[in-house]
Amino acid sequence: MSRILLNRRNFLQIGASAGALILTPQLAFAQDAPVKGGRLVVAGDSEPANLNPAIVASNGVFFVASKVIEPLAEQSYEGKDGLSPRLATSWEGSADGLSVTFKLREGVTWHDGKPFTSADVAFSALEVWKKLQNLGRVVFKNLAAVDTPDEHTAIFRFSEPTPFQLIRNALPVVTSVIPKHVYEGTDIAKNPANQKLVGTGPFKFGEYKPGEYFLLKRNDAYWEKNEPLLDEIVYQFLPDRAAAGNALEAEEIQLAAFSAVPLADLGRISKSSGLKVYANGYEGLTYQLIVEINHRRKELADVKVRQAIAHAIDHDFVVKTIFLGFAKSSTGPVPAYDQTFYEPGTATYAFDPAKAEALLDEAGYKRGSDGNRFKLKLLPAPFFNETKQFGDYLRQALGKIGIDAVVVSNDTPAHLKAVYTDHDFDITVATPVYRSDPAISTTILFESGLPSGVPFSNQYGYANAEIDKLIKSAASELDGAKRADLYKELQKKVADDLPLINVAEFSFITVARDTVRNVSDNPRWAVSNWSNVWLAK
C-alpha cells in the first residue's frame, strides 16, 4: 500500500508543476445518492484482436474486458495489502512458499447462467495463465497443480518456493478467470469467446462493430447486490484521438481515460463548464516509455551502439515538451518511487550527442558520404499520442548522430504482430507498465527464451546468462530483503548492458462530464470493473 500512495503523491506533484489544472478529488460528490440506469459513452482506446485478459494481460484489453471478466482480487486504496476481494474472498500462503490457498466467492454465476466454481480457477491457472498469458507465464512458471477439495476452495501447489508477496501483488493483473465449460477442449487462443467475452462481471459483452464501438450491457445477475448501476457502457472509437476534448465538450462522449484528451488541451478543458479532470486512479499503472532494441541486427548487438542511442536522447526535452511535465525521467526498469526495489546506483547516460558520435565511430560505424552511418526501421507504438510524438522525436535525434531511422506506423494489432511475433523491427517505442513488483511485468522484458507471440516481453533476441540467473533466483527467494537485493543487482546489470533504454515514467489523466460519479476510486480505476459508476441526472 505504501508504494501506491507514494506513486500517487509523486504524480500529483508532477501535475502541479505542469500547470494549474483543476484536479478533482473523488469526495466532491460523496453527498449525492447513487441512481440506477443510463448509458455511459467512453472514448475508445484501441481495438485489441484478442480481448481476453486471461491471455493478454494489458491495459488496452483490461480497459474493456475488466467490466466483463473478473480477477481474484483488485487493487484498493483502503484494503489490506492494497487489495479488495473479487472472485476470491481470502488468500493465504504457506510458510514454505509451496502453496497458496484461495477461498472463492459463493453464489456467482457466469453470464450464460452456469455456476462459477474452483474448477474454473484451476483451469484458468493451469491452462491459460501459466501456458498462454504474457505475464502469467512468469508469475506461475512453477505452478504444478491446483487442488479443488470443494467448489469454493482452490489450493495452488508450486514445484519450487514462490514468494507469497509476488502472488499477492500479481492478483489484480494475472488472475482473470474464464469459464472452463466454454474453453475446455478448444483451441484456447482461437476461441470465439476471446472476442465475445463470457465472464462473471457486472457487465455482459453486447456487441462489437469494428472501427465504431464496443457495447457492454448490465448483468442483472451480478453477485454484488444492487450493482451495477449503469445500464450500458459504450466505447466509442473516435476517428481522431485528438478530438476527445471536443467530443466531451459537445457531450458526444462522457468520459475519456488514459489521457485520451491531449495534454496540451488540459488547461482549457479544466476550465470548461461541466467537465472534471482527475489525476488519480492510475497509481497502480505506472507506465514506462522505453526504446526496445532488436539484438538480431548486427549493429544493435554492439553495446556501444546501444549506448550511443541512449546518449542521443534528451530526457529533459521528452519530459517537458512531449509530456508537458506530466512525467519524470527514468533511470532504469524500476521506478524511483518504489522504495522496496529501486536501485539508485545504476549507470546513467546523459544527453551527449558528441559522445554518441564518438561511440559510433569506435564501434566502426563511420558517417558515409551522405552523412549517415546505417539505417534503422523504427516502429512507434500507436497506443498513445505521446508514443507517436516520441517516435518522431527519436527519428530526429538519431538523425543528428548519423542514424537514418525510418518510421513505420501501424495500428495496434499490426504493431503487436510486427514486434512480438514477426520481430520485424529494429527499434520500437514501447510502454510497459510497472506493477509494484519486478517479477510481474519487468523481468519479462529481459528474460531470454520466451516464445514468439508473447506481447510486451523480450522478443528482441537478447540473452544474458547472468541476468537469467538473477531472475530465476529472485523468483524463488522467500526472504523479502534478499529478494529486493537480487532485483537491485539486476537493475545494475541491465543499466550496464542496455538491452533496452528506459526514457521516462508517466501516468495519465481522466476527463469526465461532472454527471459521471465514482470516477477514480481505486488505483487501477480505468481497468477495474466500474460496477459502482453512475450517472447523475
Side-chain angles (χ1 to χ4, degrees):
M1 186 64 178
S2 61
R3 290 199 296 276
I4 292 173
L5 293 176
L6 279 167
N7 189 14
R8 181 183 187 188
R9 182 160 57 249
N10 286 353
F11 180 71
L12 291 176
Q13 288 170 350
I14 293 166
S17 69
L21 298 180
I22 300 172
L23 302 179
T24 307
Q26 184 55 44
L27 296 177
F29 306 120
Q31 70 273 19
D32 292 352
V35 296
K36 280 193 172 184
R39 167 186 285 182
L40 177 65
V41 184
V42 181
D45 181 59
S46 62
E47 300 179 69
N50 189 327
L51 203 58
N52 184 348
I55 297 176
V56 183
S58 75
N59 291 328
V61 171
F62 284 135
F63 188 40
V64 177
S66 60
K67 287 69 180 165
V68 180
I69 293 179
E70 296 183 291
L72 296 177
E74 183 55 273
Q75 280 194 341
S76 166
Y77 287 133
E78 306 299 335
K80 181 183 177 182
D81 298 317
L83 295 172
S84 63
R86 285 296 183 268
L87 290 178
T89 56
S90 68
W91 40 90
E92 183 176 354
S94 63
D96 60 7
L98 292 176
S99 69
V100 178
T101 299
F102 293 94
K103 292 297 183 180
L104 305 177
R105 191 175 297 278
E106 299 184 27
V108 177
T109 57
W110 293 101
H111 292 159
D112 61 7
K114 303 287 186 181
F116 159 76
T117 72
S118 56
D120 298 306
V121 175
F123 177 82
S124 298
L126 293 170
E127 300 300 325
V128 189
W129 307 340
K130 177 179 177 176
K131 294 181 180 180
L132 301 178
Q133 192 190 90
N134 53 323
L135 303 181
R137 292 177 194 229
V138 176
V139 175
F140 295 113
K141 180 188 300 183
N142 296 319
L143 181 64
V146 178
D147 296 342
T148 54
D150 59 60
E151 290 191 344
H152 300 104
T153 304
I155 305 172
F156 286 32
R157 306 284 186 186
F158 296 92
S159 59
E160 295 183 22
T162 299
F164 178 57
Q165 176 196 49
L166 165 61
I167 300 301
R168 187 182 64 212
N169 287 346
L171 292 179
V173 181
V174 302
T175 63
S176 297
V177 184
I178 60 174
K180 178 181 179 180
H181 65 276
V182 171
Y183 282 90
E184 188 175 35
T186 73
D187 184 337
I188 295 173
K190 297 180 180 179
N191 193 302
N194 293 334
Q195 195 68 40
K196 296 182 178 179
L197 303 176
V198 178
T200 59
F203 296 93
K204 297 181 178 182
F205 183 84
E207 187 178 15
Y208 168 46
K209 285 202 170 183
E212 296 186 39
Y213 60 81
F214 284 113
L215 169 65
L216 307 182
K217 296 186 176 183
R218 176 208 298 271
N219 173 19
D220 290 322
Y222 187 49
W223 54 263
E224 185 69 71
K225 188 177 180 181
N226 297 323
E227 291 185 1
L229 299 174
L230 296 169
D231 287 334
E232 295 180 339
I233 302 174
V234 176
Y235 294 84
Q236 185 74 53
F237 301 114
L238 303 176
D240 178 5
R241 287 177 62 93
N246 293 334
L248 281 162
E249 290 180 301
E251 300 188 47
E252 295 169 358
I253 62 174
Q254 296 148 296
L255 187 142
F258 286 113
S259 295
V261 175
L263 297 178
D265 292 344
L266 287 180
R268 173 180 60 81
I269 288 292
S270 67
K271 298 179 179 66
S272 296
S273 175
L275 293 179
K276 302 295 183 182
V277 178
Y278 301 82
N280 60 318
Y282 295 97
E283 294 81 0
L285 307 174
T286 297
Y287 274 68
Q288 298 170 295
L289 183 74
I290 68 172
V291 179
E292 292 181 326
I293 298 169
N294 194 337
H295 292 247
R296 300 172 186 84
R297 176 73 183 260
K298 176 175 69 73
E299 296 90 340
L300 299 176
D302 189 327
V303 68
K304 289 184 178 181
V305 173
R306 302 197 296 273
Q307 290 172 341
I309 294 173
H311 281 300
I313 299 171
D314 185 346
H315 289 215
D316 189 57
F317 176 88
V318 172
V319 168
K320 291 181 179 178
T321 305
I322 295 178
F323 287 96
L324 302 181
F326 286 89
K328 62 185 298 183
S329 177
S330 178
T331 60
V334 175
Y337 78 80
D338 190 332
Q339 297 179 354
T340 299
F341 295 112
Y342 177 66
E343 171 52 59
T346 60
T348 57
Y349 301 86
F351 176 55
D352 191 341
K355 189 169 184 178
E357 297 234 37
L359 284 165
L360 290 169
D361 288 343
E362 290 174 24
Y365 300 106
K366 306 283 188 178
R367 285 183 181 264
S369 58
D370 60 355
N372 291 325
R373 303 171 188 275
F374 52 83
K375 182 178 290 189
L376 295 178
K377 181 186 292 187
L378 166 59
L379 276 66
F383 312 142
F384 310 112
N385 295 321
E386 292 72 29
T387 54
K388 291 182 282 188
Q389 291 169 14
F390 177 73
D392 290 334
Y393 161 77
L394 183 59
R395 177 184 61 80
Q396 296 173 23
L398 295 179
K400 291 177 181 178
I401 62 171
I403 297 176
D404 182 13
V406 178
V407 173
V408 177
S409 299
N410 292 312
D411 60 17
T412 295
H415 176 83
L416 295 177
K417 184 175 185 295
V419 175
Y420 301 107
T421 299
D422 299 340
H423 309 137
D424 185 17
F425 72 100
D426 293 320
I427 55 176
T428 179
V429 180
T431 55
V433 182
Y434 185 76
R435 305 181 190 272
S436 302
D437 192 300
I440 299 174
S441 55
T442 300
T443 57
I444 195 172
L445 300 172
F446 309 109
E447 183 179 9
S448 67
L450 297 174
S452 295
V454 180
F456 316 112
S457 70
N458 175 5
Q459 294 297 326
Y460 358 107
Y462 175 73
N464 184 312
E466 291 184 39
I467 287 177
D468 283 344
K469 183 178 179 180
L470 283 169
I471 292 172
K472 183 177 181 181
S473 298
S476 59
E477 178 55 66
L478 303 183
D479 184 285
K482 292 180 179 178
R483 185 167 176 261
D485 286 343
L486 289 168
Y487 285 130
K488 289 177 180 180
E489 183 64 23
L490 171 69
Q491 291 168 71
K492 290 179 180 178
K493 290 188 178 299
V494 164
D496 290 339
D497 207 24
L498 275 186
L500 52 80
I501 300 169
N502 286 83
V503 179
E505 299 157 10
F506 63 102
S507 192
F508 297 98
I509 294 290
T510 295
V511 182
R513 302 294 309 176
D514 59 11
T515 53
V516 184
R517 307 298 171 84
N518 283 338
V519 176
S520 298
D521 65 352
N522 73 65
R524 286 175 14 105
W525 182 79
V527 296
S528 64
N529 69 20
W530 294 6
S531 64
N532 67 340
V533 173
W534 59 283
L535 295 173
K537 296 186 177 180

